[in-house]
Amino acid sequence: MKSLVIAEKPSVGRDIARVLGCKQGGNGYLEGKEYVVTWALGHLIELADPESYGEQWKEWKMETLPMLPERLQIQVIKKTGHQYQTVKKQMYRKDIGQIIIATDAGREGELVARWIIEKSGVKKPMKRLWISSVTDKAIRQGFSGLKDAKDYQKLYEAAVARAEADWMVGLNATRALTIKHNAQLSCGRVQTPTLAIIAKREAQIKQFKPKEYYGVKMKGSGVSFTWKSPQNSTSTFSKAEAENVKNSAVNSTAIVEEVKKKQQKSYAPQLYDLTSLQQDANRIFGFSAKQTLDFMQNLYERHKVVTYPRTDSRYLTSDIVETIPERLRACRSGAYAPICGKLLKSKIKANKSFVDDKKVSDHHAIIPTEQGVNLKDLEYGERKIYELVISRFLAVLMPPCEYQQTEVTAVCAGETFTLQGRIMQQPGWQEIRNIQKESGFAAEEEPDDFLDGTPSGVRDVVTGSIPDFSKGQKILFTEGKISQGKTKPPVPFTEATLLAAMENPVKYMESADKKLRQTLGETGGLGTVATRADIIEKLFNSFMLEKRDKYIHLTSKGRQVLELAPQGLTSPELTAKWEQELADIAGGKAKKKDFEAKIRAYTVDIVKDIQASSKTYRHDNLTNKKCPECGKLMLEVNHKNGKMLVCQDRECGYRKTISRITNARCPQCHKKMELVGEGENQRFTCVCGYREKLSAFEKRKKESGGGVSKKDVSRYMNKMKQEAKEPVNNAFADALAKLKL
């Protein structure tokens, strides 16, 4: 008898098949003497739609809520139904004696396989492969120590409990809001708290009142010393204090009190997980979280040059270390070839800064694979992301940057002044930064995410040598200068900073419960590393978020949804509470049925709250333009990449792009311009007031030897047409489509 191995993805399935010697190809599976390896495509099974339970939920009516089936059913996802049939056929083969679950080692991975097995109805012995990486060594070790699938039954129950809770709460709240307010509204455990995080930041910006602050610099012996207050700050809110310091020190003698010289080391940043990669890609290239994930999927699945992208770990397992030289050889193309050559000549030193088995959960950090690629075969976005992955991988293998830092402290008229200098001795991993700068995409340090009103002060460090001062030396301060600034308000979220807030939303929790805060931090915050990009994208597509330049803002619809949604659904605390209970279920400390009873009661409460609410929803973006298909007035919405007219009737579904933000830069202010209009009337517009017809723009760029080709314009027009066909709403779009508004 043979064993059937079910992997989560084709790429992992093929890796396992290769190690197990399964070379005979089939349609969706590979076979050998002892094993048959097949795979899912992520989830192949989902919870059934409300409509499948009977006529009572096919129409959206308040009197049929809440929807709480006695037992939630599962159904095959139509889009990937062909692969489900392939897996099912293999499970029912007479020569298959047992099933080995080899999906990702985690809660969701358990759910992927168990739902397939449950839906098929097959009854065969089951084993579990539990590995954190898919190297040949890890796979062999895993198969030599297969676990009994019964050991993971509680983990499966926790996964089902989470999925069913999201179904009951999310779908009921969405239907109740939509019916109550006769508008396309939705809310859920993750997306609504995400809106609340943005709302909190916008409130902080609105309430912020800037304060003037002052710093003092004194010049002596050819260099500038910075004043430091008794509170160890380099600035003060008192202009009079700054003036007194300057006036008392100018033309006075300072005495050098201390000269400190330290040998310092700067270590490379950690390897990338998906979130940190998405953050850098957004900050450096302006890629959205979804774009970065799409580029990574192509690099992982099609080109096979990077490891599994949907990881939340920034460490490698020890078994990866022996494969590093081969991975370096695969990276020897492009600007990083000299670095790869240098590293290959020396012994690879693995240390706890990037190799730690205990800090790897389901998957290790993102690094290059052993397979090389011609960079010309990669699209622009793919190449930029691949180069980011390579640069971070090389950086952790390089020695630290070493420099000597000198700090001089002098006292004048009872006040303290300091001077810092830094001399580079060994660039180490900073060579990577130099290559990035030469390539034109070095990441700038992000400004403080939020300044609480305390001035940042002066942080001047002289790069290079400074005069060789000695203790007791006298310095005449010949000139003084007062610097002035204002405290800065919080910075609006970009996709990069919003991802970070979703990953660590503890400071946005109202509760002071330490256990809740700790749970939310340990379980990865709102959403998962694999779903956050989709959540942000859904919020844009349902017009609850919009972009102004690179910053994210709530729309009127987003603000109103926060007002209308039940209070419990707007805070990250709900996720923290659920995660605590789900962990107890997985650990055998709690029962799934008890958690489910709480969720059902909570669902009843939120539907009642929405029904009883006296709040109203207002379409403040209604235009006087009629839909050409149904005649109803249309809504003007800010899409992520421009503006659209959308029919207010969801069943009609008509929409039209009226403008789109392009990569074309304004010749006056150099900001990205919008392309508006149709046909020959298309024109570029800029926020600074600049206007230019598309035909004139093309002519100007052609004369200057660059710009937009006819092919580029055609590609853009096709993209607009495609965008007009894509669903506007979130995950509940299919359900909302059945509601006539």
Side-chain angles (χ1 to χ4, degrees), residues 660-680:
R660 183 176 182 86
I661 298 168
T662 70
N663 286 322
R665 297 283 178 172
C666 172
Q668 291 183 357
C669 70
H670 305 294
K671 290 185 177 180
K672 289 183 178 181
M673 297 191 292
E674 281 188 285
L675 186 60
V676 302
E678 296 180 279
E680 294 181 359

Side-chain angles (χ1 to χ4, degrees), residues 74-92:
I74 54 177
Q75 65 185 18
V76 177
I77 299 173
K78 291 180 181 178
K79 189 169 65 174
T80 53
H82 62 284
Q83 186 60 22
Y84 166 74
Q85 294 300 330
T86 297
V87 178
K88 181 180 177 180
K89 186 177 179 181
Q90 304 311 308
M91 287 193 289
Y92 273 97

Side-chain angles (χ1 to χ4, degrees), residues 185-187 191 538 541-542 544 728-734 736:
L185 307 178
S186 66
C187 64
Q191 68 177 42
K538 286 169 186 174
N541 289 339
S542 55
M544 287 192 271
V728 186
N729 257 16
N730 51 30
F732 304 111
D734 292 339
L736 287 168

Side-chain angles (χ1 to χ4, degrees), residues 482-503:
I482 293 177
S483 59
Q484 179 176 344
K486 285 185 178 180
T487 55
K488 295 179 182 179
V491 179
F493 282 113
T494 62
E495 284 206 40
T497 54
L498 181 57
L499 283 167
M502 292 174 74
E503 186 176 43

